[in-house]
Amino acid sequence: MKFSALSLGLIAAFSGAGHAAPVTEYNGCINSVVLQLISMFETGSTELNFANCRKDSDGSGYASGIISFTTRHGDALKVIKKFMDTSSYNGEFDDYVDTLEEYADSGSRSTENLDGYCDVWNAAADNIDFWLAQSSIVYDKYNVPSQEYVNEIGIKFSVTRAVLYDTAIVGGLGSSNSTLGGIFKATNNAFESDVTGKSGNSVTINDEYQVDEAVWLQKFLEIREKNSSAGHKNIEAYRSIITHKDFNWSNSVTVTDSDGDDMDIKCRFA
């Protein structure tokens, strides 16, 4: 099932409740825009598709939900267990949990013994608790830890915060060269002097160099593109935002899509 303005507003309202960081209008807008961009490049629509389920083209088992949670990496299992803790859960996924735990622990690419999994996922997406479980896992697992890098160098812009969040979702939070931690470190190490620019804010690199934030972000995207085979359409979308100088967002942001057309993505709230 797809949800549009109302669901995005409820995600902004609910996904921060009781978690590590409150969802304000500011970071709620970032959350909204990032998820819409990922959805646009995953499914062709900015409407979040909580029922999305298919065999993953990269060989990570099944990919499902609003950011294509995979059975291989265990984030699909996290969503299901979150859903299982709700009062509306009726045992939909009980037959799959043991297999999902096995595949998550081993990093298996297999879909064996998961017959009917996508049918169950699709049906569960009619339940509001299921899509709240999805949004909660996205927020806790990717949004909150990705924003811990913000204060480390003095990031101010919505677009930079969004790129960190998007990178965490697409590549993970680790320290290898294709993950958020590795790309962040490599970007900082790429600067050996002050670099000026016209964005209006500078970040502090290694407690020593002042680098224009837009320049830093362009270097981050360059390194991400070089080190990762995933999310290249996302990278181009963020580059277009930088080109438009749309650094901070409150209501909407202009993005150039993969066809070269400009489109406005709105920050949606209930």
Side-chain angles (χ1 to χ4, degrees), residues 193-211:
S193 63
D194 294 344
V195 181
T196 59
K198 298 180 179 180
S199 74
N201 185 60
S202 294
V203 295
T204 303
I205 305 303
N206 299 326
D207 296 322
E208 183 174 4
Y209 305 124
Q210 296 297 307
V211 177

Side-chain angles (χ1 to χ4, degrees), residues 54-76:
R54 67 193 187 284
K55 280 193 175 181
D56 183 54
S57 59
D58 294 328
S60 292
Y62 283 115
S64 47
I66 54 175
I67 62 163
S68 295
F69 303 101
T70 66
T71 54
R72 179 189 180 193
H73 296 111
D75 45 3

Side-chain angles (χ1 to χ4, degrees), residues 249-261:
W249 317 328
S250 58
N251 298 307
S252 66
V253 58
T254 300
V255 177
T256 304
D257 65 21
S258 54
D259 295 323
D261 299 321

Side-chain angles (χ1 to χ4, degrees), residues 4 10 14-15 17 20-22 27 36 41 45 47 80 100 122 129 145-146 154 159 172 174 178 183 186 194 212:
S4 53
L10 288 173
F14 280 102
S15 61
N27 63 28
Q36 287 180 80
F41 294 127
S45 172
E47 294 185 1
I80 290 167
L100 291 171
N122 188 276
D129 283 334
S146 72
V159 62
S178 63
I183 297 168
D194 294 344
D212 180 81

Side-chain angles (χ1 to χ4, degrees), residues 38-149:
I38 288 175
S39 180
M40 181 172 72
F41 294 127
E42 288 279 346
T43 69
S45 172
T46 57
E47 294 185 1
L48 303 191
N49 189 348
F50 292 82
N52 165 51
C53 188
R54 67 193 187 284
K55 280 193 175 181
D56 183 54
S57 59
D58 294 328
S60 292
Y62 283 115
S64 47
I66 54 175
I67 62 163
S68 295
F69 303 101
T70 66
T71 54
R72 179 189 180 193
H73 296 111
D75 45 3
L77 178 62
K78 290 181 183 295
V79 169
I80 290 167
K81 287 190 171 181
K82 190 82 171 180
F83 179 43
M84 291 172 73
D85 287 338
T86 67
S87 59
S88 63
Y89 180 72
N90 290 315
E92 293 92 332
F93 290 98
D94 286 359
D95 291 341
Y96 301 108
V97 170
D98 288 347
T99 300
L100 291 171
E101 289 178 340
E102 176 187 340
Y103 290 170
D105 289 343
S106 64
S108 173
R109 300 173 183 269
S110 177
T111 57
E112 189 176 350
N113 297 322
L114 293 176
D115 293 345
Y117 173 84
C118 280
D119 293 334
V120 173
W121 187 285
N122 188 276
D126 287 334
N127 188 323
I128 189 172
D129 283 334
F130 189 54
W131 56 265
L132 286 175
Q134 292 187 44
S135 64
S136 176
I137 294 301
V138 172
Y139 187 80
D140 286 348
K141 183 175 180 180
Y142 300 109
N143 185 301
V144 172
S146 72
Q147 299 310 296
E148 293 176 358
Y149 291 92

